[in-house]
Amino acid sequence: TGGAGFIGSHLVDALVDHGDDVVVMDDLSGGFKRNVPTGDALLRGSVSREQDVAAAFADGPFDVVFHLAAYAAEGLSHHIKRFNYENNLVGSVNLINAAVNADVGHFVFLSSAAVYGHATGTLTELDLPEPIDSYGIAKLAVEAELAVTERLFGLPYTIFRPHNVYGPYQNIGDRYRNVVGIFMNRLMRGEPLPVFGNGEQKRAFTDIRDVAPGIARAPFVPESRNQVFNVGSDRAVTVNELAQAVAKAFGETPRIEYLPAREEVELAWADHSKFRSVFAPGPEHSLEEGIQHMANWARQVGPRSSSVFTQVELTKHLPPSWAAALPQSDDPPPV
C-alpha cells in the first residue's frame, strides 16, 4: 500500500529487482501513477475504505503485505485528528484484518520516529515511545495492534521507524511535509524557504537509497521477525544547515523566511545499530551527495504547485502561514 508514493515506489523497485510480483494499492492522494513501474499492477483505492481493501485482496493470494499508505504530516495532524486516525489507524486495522483472514505470511509496517516524541538522547528501540502529535499516536497504536495480532492470530510482522527520508519521487508540491522537497520546490519557484522557529532544531535526514533495500528484504530475513527497527541517517544537522545544503545543490544562496515556532521535537536522533546488524547495509550516502542526487531529479521534473489541505478540523493554533492559505468563507469552494 502506498506504492505510488515516495518511499513506496522505491520499495516497489527493490522488490521488482528481486524478482517479486508486486501489486500496488494507492489512492494517489500523495503519489503518482508514473511512480509505479508496471501500470497494470496499480489498484486505485484507499485503505480507509474496507471495501477497497477487500477488492485489493481479491487479487491475491499474497505472501507479504508492505503497508506504507499514510498521510504523514506530523505538525498538521494536530489539526486533522479525525482524518489522521481514519487514514493512519483505521486504515491500518482494515489491512491487518484482511491480512489475517487471507493467511498472509508476513506484514511489514512503516511506522515513524514520531512515536518517540520529545524523548531525548540517542533513542533505541527499547526506549519508551511517547508521541506528542496525533500522527505519532496513530503509528504507535498500529505497532501495538500488530503485536497483539501476532500473539492472537499468528501474523508475523516487522516494523520500521524511519525519519526524514528524502530522494527522487518525493512529492515536492506538498507544503506540509518533507522539508527537503519543500525547500527544493520553493527554490525552483524563486520563493523563500520557510523555517519554523529559529531553525536550530536538529534532524537526521536520510537518503532513500540507504533504507529501501533493507525494508524490502525484511520478510526474508529471519532475524527481523516480530522486530522493530529504527532506520535513518547517523548524522544530524540543523534545519538551517539543511537550507544551506539544498541551496548549494542548486547553486543559490537561500532566502530564509523564519516563521513562528510550532509544536515539534527539537532533536530527532536515533540509534540504528540494530538495523545495521541485521541488514548489513552499505556505507551511508552523505547529506551533500544525497541532496545533489535529489536536486538533479527535481530539476528534471521541475517545480510543482503546492496544494492546500482544506479539510482542517481545528483552526485554533494553526500556524499562521497555513491558516492564511485556507479558503476564506467568501471564497468559492475548491474544485
Side-chain angles (χ1 to χ4, degrees):
T1 71
F6 162 49
I7 298 180
S9 60
H10 285 273
L11 177 60
V12 171
D13 287 343
L15 292 168
V16 170
D17 289 344
H18 184 257
D20 297 309
D21 295 322
V22 183
V23 172
V24 171
M25 179 183 180
D26 201 298
D27 64 3
L28 301 183
S29 60
F32 302 91
K33 185 175 181 179
R34 62 178 175 271
N35 289 348
V36 181
T38 53
D40 57 348
L42 174 63
L43 301 176
R44 186 163 183 174
S46 172
V47 294
S48 64
R49 292 192 292 267
E50 188 178 4
Q51 62 271 30
D52 288 358
V53 174
F57 272 78
D59 267 17
F62 300 119
D63 298 309
V64 179
V65 169
F66 291 88
H67 179 32
L68 291 85
Y71 189 71
E74 293 177 40
L76 185 61
S77 70
H78 293 289
H79 307 277
I80 56 170
K81 295 179 185 297
R82 184 186 306 108
F83 181 92
N84 167 72
Y85 291 122
E86 286 176 349
N87 283 270
N88 298 336
L89 178 53
V90 175
S92 298
V93 170
N94 288 339
L95 203 64
I96 292 170
N97 285 346
V100 170
N101 286 330
D103 292 321
V104 166
H106 202 101
F107 195 106
V108 179
F109 175 56
L110 211 70
S111 182
S112 171
V115 301
Y116 291 118
H118 275 318
T120 59
T122 303
L123 302 170
T124 75
E125 294 84 354
L126 297 178
D127 284 301
L128 178 66
E130 296 183 276
I132 62 168
D133 54 61
S134 300
Y135 174 69
I137 293 170
K139 288 292 190 179
L140 185 58
V142 178
E143 291 190 16
E145 185 58 51
L146 281 170
V148 168
T149 301
E150 192 279 329
R151 288 197 298 271
L152 289 178
F153 302 103
L155 175 64
Y157 65 87
T158 304
I159 295 168
F160 292 98
R161 295 172 176 168
H163 50 93
N164 295 290
V165 183
Y166 67 89
Y169 307 154
Q170 202 165 60
N171 184 1
I172 60 176
D174 190 328
R175 68 173 68 202
Y176 304 104
R177 51 183 175 168
N178 304 325
V179 64
V180 177
I182 292 171
F183 282 177
M184 290 189 179
N185 198 46
R186 301 271 294 200
L187 275 170
M188 291 189 293
R189 292 169 62 90
E191 299 171 348
L193 309 186
V195 173
F196 291 98
N198 61 12
E200 288 304 297
Q201 56 269 50
K202 282 191 171 183
R203 301 287 184 269
F205 296 96
T206 308
D207 191 312
I208 183 63
R209 295 173 293 179
D210 295 331
V211 296
I215 296 172
R217 290 176 51 209
F220 317 107
V221 178
E223 293 82 3
S224 79
R225 184 185 176 102
N226 304 334
Q227 295 295 311
V228 179
F229 296 92
N230 293 330
V231 288
S233 172
D234 290 324
R235 175 190 174 192
V237 299
T238 67
V239 175
N240 287 326
E241 291 171 327
L242 175 71
Q244 295 291 336
V246 172
K248 182 179 179 181
F250 284 85
E252 298 186 20
T253 300
R255 291 186 296 122
I256 298 179
E257 178 185 10
Y258 288 100
L259 304 171
R262 63 183 183 181
E263 177 71 13
E264 64 177 332
V265 177
E266 287 298 314
L267 173 62
W269 181 255
D271 177 85
H272 310 110
S273 57
K274 183 177 178 181
F275 177 79
R276 289 196 300 270
S277 67
V278 171
F279 295 99
E284 179 181 322
H285 291 86
S286 70
L287 179 68
E288 294 74 16
E289 180 188 358
I291 292 294
Q292 190 64 64
H293 177 67
M294 181 176 173
N296 295 341
W297 166 83
R299 285 196 188 92
Q300 293 178 352
V301 301
R304 293 173 177 162
S305 58
S306 295
S307 58
V308 176
F309 191 98
T310 60
Q311 301 177 54
V312 174
E313 301 155 20
L314 297 173
T315 57
K316 189 175 183 178
H317 303 314
L318 188 69
S321 60
W322 293 350
L326 290 175
Q328 301 304 307
S329 58
D330 56 348
D331 287 347
V335 177

